[in-house]
Structure formats: structure tokens, C-alpha cells
Amino acid sequence: ITSWTATKNIDVFRKKFILISVNHNNMHWSLCCVVNPGAILKNIKMLNEDPGDDELYPCILIFDSLTMTPGRAEDLAIDVRMWLNSEWTRLEKWSNDDERAPFKTYVMNVHEPKSE
């Protein structure tokens, strides 16, 4: 099976935002936003450094008007990271010094903005 990104020749790592709509049990929708996915390798190399204000920060944002069940946001993030790693492999983005699956929990954090 070929992914739609391969069919359309899309490099998701050149995008600033990737919006993914998520349907929960055909009853509720939420939105997942992948921010700066292409900045992942720079982020890995700077793990022990304090990023500057102008540094791109790769992360996953999950917007849900209802409170997700505990762990649901991280389960969703695991699926998104797995997809990003498969796209990374498909596009052969790594070099000999880079990781083949750079999207890990400790590198690409999940944030769930809440409103009152």
C-alpha cells in the first residue's frame, strides 16, 4: 500500500504544520497538530542545550474540547510518531550519522493546550 504522501510526492518535513483530524469512536473529533517536524534532527543534537528564541521547536499539539481519557493523548502521539518515522524512512532523510527513527517521546513532546 502506498501512502497518500508518496502518491502525491509530498515531503511532510518541509511543512511547518501538519493538521490531523482525529475521530474518537464516531462520536467526537479532536485535532492533532504536528509543529516543525523537519527540525527534529537539530532538536536531537541540542537536547542538552537551551534552545534560543528563534530555534524551531518540533512538537505535537493535541486540541480537544472534551477531556481525553487519561493516556489517550499519548496513545495518539505514539501513532503520529510512528507515521513520522515511516515517512522519514520512506524519504530516506537520514545520513550515516543520523538516526533512522528520530521521532521519540523524549525528543518530540506532546502538549495539550487547555482553556477555561
Side-chain angles (χ1 to χ4, degrees):
I1 298 175
T2 304
S3 69
W4 65 269
T5 53
T7 303
K8 301 285 185 182
N9 197 27
I10 295 172
D11 182 349
V12 297
F13 303 105
R14 296 180 63 121
K15 307 297 181 191
K16 189 165 187 136
F17 301 105
I18 301 168
L19 301 175
I20 304 167
S21 58
V22 181
N23 185 289
H24 303 279
N25 300 323
N26 293 322
M27 298 180 70
H28 174 68
W29 288 88
S30 58
L31 179 67
C32 176
C33 179
V34 181
V35 181
N36 298 317
I40 195 71
L41 284 183
K42 189 172 187 179
N43 190 273
I44 290 171
K45 292 173 184 169
M46 297 177 62
L47 276 177
N48 297 324
E49 298 175 21
D50 189 24
D53 290 341
D54 59 345
E55 293 296 328
L56 296 178
Y57 177 70
C59 66
I60 298 171
L61 301 174
I62 298 178
F63 300 95
D64 192 348
S65 61
L66 301 175
T67 304
M68 281 189 157
T69 56
R72 177 73 180 123
E74 188 52 44
D75 288 345
L76 174 58
I78 288 169
D79 291 340
V80 170
R81 286 187 200 105
M82 192 166 46
W83 172 70
L84 289 167
N85 282 324
S86 69
E87 287 293 301
W88 193 264
T89 300
R90 178 183 69 82
L91 293 168
E92 298 178 353
K93 289 286 189 181
W94 67 85
S95 68
N96 289 337
D97 297 333
D98 298 332
E99 293 191 49
R100 291 181 185 233
F103 295 91
K104 296 180 172 70
T105 305
Y106 63 88
V107 177
M108 191 168 211
N109 295 325
V110 176
H111 301 283
E112 295 178 78
K114 303 282 185 201
S115 65
E116 296 183 20

